[in-house]
Amino acid sequence: MGDFRGIPTPVCPACGSNLIQITASFDPDTYELNMYLLDNAKCANCQALLTAPTPSDYTAA
């Protein structure tokens, strides 16, 4: 397990998994994702601490 918080990523830098655990809330009327905590993410595979990405973090290669 490592601590990779501070660098938004959709893939775990430690093990390469793209399955990320986040803390989220949902709109009770629409069931849409309403909010998620960025610095409270963890890799579901190796439990490394991560910063969850947002669309504005994406830069095309």
Side-chain angles (χ1 to χ4, degrees), residues 12-46:
C12 178
C15 73
S17 175
N18 67 347
L19 192 56
I20 309 296
Q21 296 174 327
I22 60 169
T23 301
S25 68
F26 295 86
D27 184 297
D29 298 321
T30 65
Y31 287 23
E32 293 284 333
L33 183 63
N34 193 20
M35 184 272 307
Y36 61 99
L37 300 178
L38 299 177
D39 288 327
N40 195 31
K42 266 201 285 194
C43 174
N45 186 49
C46 73

